[in-house]
Amino acid sequence: DAMVIQNPRYQVTQFGKPVTLSCSQTLNHNVMYWYQQKSSQAPKLLFHYYDKDFNNEADTPDNFQSRRPNTSFCFLDIRSPGLGDAAMYLCATSRGVQRDNEQFFGPGTRLTVL
Amino acid sequence: GENVEQHPSTLSVQEGDSAVIKCTYSDSASNYFPWYKQELGKGPQLIIDIRSNVGEKKDQRIAVTLNKTAKHFSLHITETQPEDSAVYFCAVTTGSARQLTFGSGTQLTVLP
């Protein structure tokens, strides 16, 4: 019954070593989001896709990239992780239709940078 | 842009008591107001939401009230239980936008 699935749940990488986080959804939603959440803080939006249309937040570092090869999957690529990128990364989806903009979150991937 | 303030940042209540968390927002065009519950190590879970054409919505022990004139909305949890302990986030968006603006979160602790 899982609707928004994130893999892996825990990821350990080394400083500067590229890492990819995965998100998939069974809801057939148009919009997929990536958030970064640090301890005791609210989720911070990095970017989102409306179908294939990519929307980057102005303050998202260039180090973060995303790919959405199809409706169901979206990837977060961190090209050169720094210690400051250690966080929980949350994927969310929504239908994206006006007045139907509930967002559904996945369980998150906890990223550790050594 | 939208600004959302959430209070209090921490809240401790005795089991069985009520808990109230309040959020204020700045954009009068905002029309969708969800509340999320986030347990430790998990993603946020939508627990209740309200739209601007409604003043109150209730779901068992949880209710949300909206005052559009004053631009604030509140989460009410009655008969609190230890499993209600979590971080609660309010959020705001407009109908045409796809982004949510989150409050800073409230750590609710229900003491047995």
Side-chain angles (χ1 to χ4, degrees):
Chain A
D1 290 348
M3 295 183 292
V4 183
I5 303 158
Q6 291 190 243
N7 286 303
R9 294 294 312 280
Y10 301 91
Q11 176 73 57
V12 179
T13 191
Q14 291 182 326
F15 183 94
K17 185 174 181 181
V19 66
T20 294
L21 309 183
S22 169
C23 177
S24 63
Q25 54 132 339
T26 60
L27 298 162
N28 204 33
H29 280 174
N30 296 317
V31 191
M32 294 186 78
Y33 306 82
W34 279 106
Y35 289 86
Q36 179 191 65
Q37 187 179 30
K38 296 191 175 181
S39 183
S40 302
Q41 295 183 19
K44 178 180 181 299
L45 183 64
L46 296 173
F47 25 60
H48 74 276
Y49 274 94
Y50 187 97
D51 290 332
K52 295 184 179 180
D53 181 27
F54 178 70
N55 298 269
N56 197 33
E57 293 300 298
D59 56 354
T60 297
D62 293 339
N63 200 23
F64 291 86
Q65 306 284 323
S66 185
R67 296 170 283 134
R68 189 178 185 185
N70 54 51
T71 301
S72 301
F73 284 87
C74 196
F75 300 99
L76 169 63
D77 302 306
I78 309 176
R79 290 193 297 187
S80 182
L83 298 178
D85 296 328
M88 174 79 91
Y89 289 88
L90 297 163
C91 175
T93 73
S94 73
R95 286 190 65 193
V97 176
Q98 189 145 351
R99 291 189 60 78
D100 192 359
N101 41 12
E102 294 93 331
Q103 288 193 22
F104 298 90
F105 284 83
T109 294
R110 170 73 64 186
L111 178 68
T112 300
V113 181
L114 300 177
Chain B
E2 177 72 87
N3 183 42
V4 179
E5 293 192 3
Q6 183 172 344
H7 297 282
S9 56
T10 61
L11 178 60
S12 291
V13 298
Q14 288 294 136
E15 183 176 359
D17 288 351
S18 296
V20 181
I21 303 170
K22 184 175 176 178
C23 285
T24 59
Y25 60 98
S26 58
D27 187 351
S28 57
S30 297
N31 62 1
Y32 175 62
F33 309 91
W35 283 92
Y36 287 88
K37 174 184 181 183
Q38 187 173 26
E39 296 175 332
L40 195 63
K42 297 184 179 181
Q45 178 189 6
L46 179 68
I47 56 171
I48 196 167
D49 56 12
I50 194 167
R51 297 189 186 276
S52 58
N53 57 344
V54 175
E56 183 175 358
K57 184 176 177 181
K58 207 170 180 180
D59 183 3
Q60 298 183 345
R61 296 186 297 110
I62 296 173
V64 54
T65 58
L66 172 65
N67 184 326
K68 282 219 76 180
T69 304
K71 290 189 278 190
H72 67 71
F73 60 112
S74 299
L75 176 70
H76 304 255
I77 306 174
T78 58
E79 300 171 31
T80 54
Q81 300 166 4
E83 52 264 38
D84 295 329
S85 296
V87 178
Y88 291 81
F89 290 100
C90 65
V92 173
T93 192
T94 63
S96 59
R98 297 190 288 268
Q99 294 94 320
L100 290 173
T101 301
F102 283 89
S104 52
T106 296
Q107 172 69 62
L108 174 65
T109 303
V110 180
L111 304 168

